[in-house]
Amino acid sequence: MAKILIVDDAAFMRMMIKDILTKNGHEVVAEAADGLQAVEKYKETRPDLVTMDITMPEMDGITALKEIKKIDGNAKVIMCSAMGQQAMVIDAIQAGAKDFIVKPFQADRVIEAINKTLG
């Protein structure tokens, strides 16, 4: 069981991921609606893993990923992207993301990415 921070500006997307994670025995320790909140929540909760949306207001997911990596070089972050964001996904992987999952989320793919990243 991992402690996970969910970051997405859409509340229903956070709810979908939270549902998948909790049904599979993980604990959601915090949620954030933008990159700025994500960095603050990361500092507060020090989760085992972060699911990070790419496109958000205030601070996008790639910038937030870079900020979190400054705080904790070993941070495990999985990016969440819509179809057609391949260039951003490549940027995220280069910035230190461990994996990415594509919206709409498929439960088995989410869990596979999380298990692989934690493993």
Side-chain angles (χ1 to χ4, degrees), residues 17-116:
I17 295 183
K18 186 175 187 172
D19 187 53
I20 293 167
L21 297 177
T22 52
K23 281 183 177 160
N24 284 275
H26 297 292
E27 180 190 355
V28 175
V29 290
E31 295 181 31
D34 62 53
L36 283 175
Q37 283 183 17
V39 175
E40 287 309 308
K41 297 280 187 190
Y42 191 90
K43 287 180 196 168
E44 286 170 25
T45 60
R46 294 288 173 155
D48 299 319
L49 188 134
V50 181
T51 65
M52 179 82 72
D53 186 23
I54 292 180
T55 311
M56 296 180 291
E58 302 297 331
M59 181 191 285
D60 67 50
I62 295 171
T63 308
L65 165 67
K66 290 174 181 171
E67 291 300 312
I68 286 171
K69 282 294 204 177
K70 284 181 198 167
I71 298 163
D72 178 1
N74 297 316
K76 293 182 169 81
V77 181
I78 297 174
M79 304 308 285
C80 304
S81 71
M83 282 293 196
Q85 289 185 313
Q86 281 87 345
M88 288 181 175
V89 167
I90 292 165
D91 287 349
I93 299 292
Q94 288 172 338
K98 300 288 185 197
D99 203 345
F100 69 95
I101 43 181
V102 178
K103 298 174 182 178
F105 302 119
Q106 294 172 301
D108 57 348
R109 175 66 190 112
V110 172
I111 296 305
E112 176 194 326
I114 284 171
N115 290 342
K116 191 172 91 179

